[in-house]
Amino acid sequence: MMPYACTKDTKLRVFQFRFSHRRIATNDILYKIGVIRHNMCTFCNVEIETLEHLFWECNTTQIFWKETTAWLLICFPQLSERSFSMSACLGLISSLNLLIDHILLMARYHIHISKIKGTIPELYKLKYTIFKARKIELRIACQSGKTKQCYEKWEHLQSQDC
């Protein structure tokens, strides 16, 4: 239920559903059904690309998660690095904060899109997507009269450090 609470974005909700039910097409699966010629990771080309490897174990993905976590710790100083465990980053448990859950969902989706495009997941691209989503949500909130709730959700990303 976490994606339904933290975002109205249908593509993110569908992605999380597919992710949770292990229905994301990794190179391992695509190789097994004969769509591609190898099952190696799109990012590192060293290990077999399973769901766990692609979204957590890959060195490239780990660098992305470390950068994202460091940025989030600046924006949310009340949290600790333990708040960004594998379970939290992969959406297996909720952080109990709608904005953090939303950002982590967007980060997972960013990894997925980067794999599809054959690019490396990068924090600056994720930040751009996050701030674009914030603008959209604020516009929708203004139209629906829920501006206060929207500002409360996004308040931690208002400081200059974030």
Side-chain angles (χ1 to χ4, degrees), residues 88-100:
C89 289
L90 297 184
L92 304 174
I93 60 170
S94 173
S95 70
L96 303 177
N97 179 303
L98 290 179
L99 181 56
I100 293 173

Side-chain angles (χ1 to χ4, degrees), residues 58-119:
C58 178
N59 288 335
T60 302
T61 305
Q62 277 294 303
I63 291 168
F64 172 73
W65 281 121
K66 284 179 180 144
E67 290 172 351
T68 302
T69 300
W71 173 63
L72 288 173
L73 288 171
I74 292 169
C75 299
F76 297 89
Q78 73 276 16
L79 299 177
S80 69
E81 283 193 40
R82 289 178 292 181
S83 303
F84 301 102
S85 65
M86 180 178 118
S87 297
C89 289
L90 297 184
L92 304 174
I93 60 170
S94 173
S95 70
L96 303 177
N97 179 303
L98 290 179
L99 181 56
I100 293 173
D101 287 342
H102 191 173
I103 291 170
L104 294 176
L105 174 55
M106 292 176 82
R108 290 188 295 279
Y109 187 72
H110 179 65
I111 293 168
H112 175 65
I113 293 301
S114 296
K115 176 225 180 329
I116 291 170
K117 291 181 176 179
T119 61

Side-chain angles (χ1 to χ4, degrees), residues 7-106:
T7 184
K8 301 279 186 223
D9 190 336
T10 307
K11 76 175 180 292
L12 291 176
R13 289 176 171 183
V14 169
F15 168 76
Q16 183 60 37
F17 179 85
R18 291 178 59 224
F19 183 86
S20 298
H21 291 87
R22 305 183 65 80
R23 296 294 176 239
I24 303 294
T26 60
N27 287 350
D28 187 39
I29 293 167
L30 295 172
Y31 174 74
K32 287 177 182 174
I33 62 174
V35 175
I36 60 174
R37 294 183 184 198
H38 67 86
N39 59 358
M40 303 311 280
C41 176
T42 302
F43 300 140
C44 71
N45 206 27
V46 174
E47 300 284 332
I48 294 173
E49 187 180 278
T50 62
L51 201 62
E52 293 82 6
H53 177 79
L54 178 66
F55 285 93
W56 188 256
E57 297 167 354
C58 178
N59 288 335
T60 302
T61 305
Q62 277 294 303
I63 291 168
F64 172 73
W65 281 121
K66 284 179 180 144
E67 290 172 351
T68 302
T69 300
W71 173 63
L72 288 173
L73 288 171
I74 292 169
C75 299
F76 297 89
Q78 73 276 16
L79 299 177
S80 69
E81 283 193 40
R82 289 178 292 181
S83 303
F84 301 102
S85 65
M86 180 178 118
S87 297
C89 289
L90 297 184
L92 304 174
I93 60 170
S94 173
S95 70
L96 303 177
N97 179 303
L98 290 179
L99 181 56
I100 293 173
D101 287 342
H102 191 173
I103 291 170
L104 294 176
L105 174 55
M106 292 176 82

